[in-house]
Amino acid sequence: MEKNTSFVNNRFDMQKVLDSSDSSINVQNGDSDFGRFYHMNVPFQLTLEYCDGAGPDDYVNVVTLSFDKAVLYQETLAMKNYSYSKNAPHFHDFFEFVIILEGTIVQQIEGKDYLYPAGSCCLISRNLRHLERYQSGCKVLYIGLSPAFIKELFASAHSGFFAGEKQICDSDLYRFVTRDLENLGERAYLDFIPAFQNHLAAANMYAMAEDMIRTLLYPKFGATYQICGLLCAFMACLSSQAHYHCTNIQLDSNSDFLIFSRITRLFEESDGRMTRAEMEQCLHYSGDYLNRIVNKFTGMCLFDYGMTFCMKKAAQYLTGTDESVSAIAARLRFTNRTHFYTLFKHMYGVTPREYRKLHG
């Protein structure tokens, strides 16, 4: 009974802080077990949450910053996860990026659970109910952008000095936000996972977060332009296929579809030559579970599904280059040419040489 009372007190204190004039976010329906509403009273804000995850009595430290507002408060990890277990999500009137800098969290979006490891990110649109659960020590950055502010950032791309600035307008991120601005209510969000070759995803995001926080804490002449530039650089990084894979997740789809989409993106990038262990490391799920997900959507095992991407790439090399079959097999990391021939013929019905003659 005493534990439940402390939950109430902590919850009340947290809401009291957020409702103060120093907070850039105000909470409405704070006692609701259906959905709390977060209103942002500034163009943008950053919220950094971090904890050691040592136990339920460990504190989650929360720092919320904007250009003229800043608050710091704490709540126990038990209290943080209490909201999760009681199904009390929140929604808001702004776009929110959730970036995992350290550790792993579970993001529940409209009642479905999604795992997010360090370096990954998601973009939550307005009016989607969601909440987070921290399973261990972690550090998470939340970036809130008002509709007017993000619209202004995107407008600057059209009037910018450099042609490269306009590339953002051809991104899934731009299209997603633009659709939401024009037609509020789409039940979807964007999922970003690091590209397989992006080994420094978490470190790079950490560095960007530090730059943004430092600019807000110690503003100098030009800080307004600096923070806008940093936010634009952040979105450009997420929109770069060399750094991230972006998937538009419709909330009507099964949560397994997100994991299958992540597997597919990584196989596309690696030409199907990711090992089971590498896939486990990237996605933080067991190989057996990933194998079941692939089988559910394709009827194949994880290895065979990867080989479909590998053989498609081999076919592209055969028709688009003059490389020998042996060179192509080596490029696709086959040490046994006979094995390569066998897999290719199984998929296309002809040998690689015959395929080149037919389609070259």
Side-chain angles (χ1 to χ4, degrees), residues 124-348:
I124 306 293
S125 63
R126 301 172 290 167
N127 285 340
L128 271 190
R129 296 187 310 137
H130 68 106
L131 52 92
E132 301 79 33
R133 176 161 56 93
Y134 297 167
Q135 295 182 304
S136 59
C138 60
K139 190 168 291 186
V140 184
L141 179 69
Y142 301 85
I143 301 178
L145 303 177
S146 73
F149 183 71
I150 197 169
K151 190 175 183 179
E152 183 179 332
L153 290 179
F154 284 155
S156 68
H158 296 282
S159 58
F161 295 139
F162 305 98
E165 293 183 73
K166 298 177 175 60
Q167 292 178 359
I168 191 70
C169 301
D170 191 35
S171 68
D172 290 331
L173 193 160
Y174 178 88
R175 287 187 285 268
F176 177 83
V177 170
T178 301
R179 280 198 306 271
D180 192 85
L181 289 171
E182 294 173 350
N183 184 25
L184 175 64
E186 182 183 13
R187 290 175 52 80
Y189 76 99
L190 291 187
D191 174 77
F192 298 92
I193 61 165
F196 179 52
Q197 301 301 328
N198 185 10
H199 304 298
L200 299 176
N204 290 336
M205 284 294 165
Y206 202 107
M208 282 192 240
E210 284 188 326
D211 286 343
M212 292 182 206
I213 292 171
R214 189 181 299 112
T215 302
L216 289 174
L217 288 175
Y218 308 105
K220 298 178 181 178
F221 177 64
T224 299
Y225 291 101
Q226 284 180 306
I227 196 67
C228 289
L230 289 168
L231 288 168
C232 288
F234 163 72
M235 289 189 284
C237 179
L238 288 180
S239 300
S240 167
Q241 293 184 1
H243 293 96
Y244 278 88
H245 296 304
C246 174
T247 304
N248 188 319
I249 301 298
Q250 299 293 322
L251 266 296
D252 293 331
S253 61
N254 188 285
S255 57
D256 288 346
F257 178 73
L258 170 60
I259 303 171
F260 178 68
S261 298
R262 290 177 176 179
I263 293 169
T264 299
R265 295 287 187 140
L266 290 170
F267 272 147
E268 286 173 344
E269 179 196 357
S270 63
D271 298 332
R273 298 301 280 167
M274 279 190 74
T275 66
R276 180 170 168 143
E278 289 170 334
M279 191 72 74
E280 286 179 329
Q281 186 176 8
C282 283
L283 299 182
H284 290 245
Y285 289 99
S286 72
D288 288 340
Y289 181 67
L290 297 175
N291 200 61
R292 288 198 299 272
I293 293 293
V294 168
N295 184 262
K296 173 181 177 179
F297 286 95
T298 69
M300 292 184 278
C301 67
L302 190 63
F303 175 81
D304 288 344
Y305 185 55
M307 281 301 100
T308 64
F309 294 90
C310 187
M311 294 302 106
K312 286 178 183 177
K313 180 58 70 171
Q316 291 175 15
Y317 287 144
L318 287 167
T319 57
T321 73
D322 294 326
E323 290 184 69
S324 68
V325 175
S326 296
I328 291 172
R331 182 197 280 238
L332 294 173
R333 295 164 49 187
F334 283 92
T335 55
N336 186 322
R337 196 175 71 168
T338 301
H339 185 214
F340 172 73
Y341 267 76
T342 300
L343 290 172
F344 190 90
K345 187 171 183 178
H346 178 75
M347 182 165 177
Y348 289 101

